[in-house]
Amino acid sequence: MAGSVPYYLSEEGDTLDRIVWKHYGRQSGGLVEQVLAANRGVAALGPILPLGTKVVLPPAEEPRAQEAVRLWG
């Protein structure tokens, strides 16, 4: 199906941050928060997701560049 958003069915012992790591290869840049936003109610399921939970994996937004803080001069 063209343009469809990929999803993942949780396996035994899966946590959301582990799923994010497996799919995107990183957890930085707010990826866990992006996946949480795309999956309303998944946080209420607890830290270890029930077997077979469908987790939508949206395209990763690029992290915003952090502003440099100049301490001296």
Side-chain angles (χ1 to χ4, degrees):
M1 179 181 250
S4 66
V5 177
Y7 67 90
Y8 175 88
L9 291 177
S10 66
E11 299 173 353
E12 188 172 340
D14 268 343
T15 59
L16 193 63
D17 57 338
R18 180 175 181 268
I19 293 168
V20 168
W21 179 260
K22 283 170 53 174
H23 181 74
Y24 299 101
R26 63 185 170 94
Q27 295 171 326
S28 60
L31 280 174
V32 174
E33 291 80 0
Q34 290 174 38
V35 173
L36 274 171
N39 293 276
R40 292 186 84 183
V42 77
L45 298 175
I48 299 175
L49 300 175
L51 183 64
T53 300
K54 183 177 180 178
V55 178
V56 174
L57 299 166
E61 294 178 14
E62 290 303 313
R64 291 184 219 148
Q66 293 184 354
E67 254 183 60
V69 177
R70 190 171 186 181
L71 298 177
W72 296 278

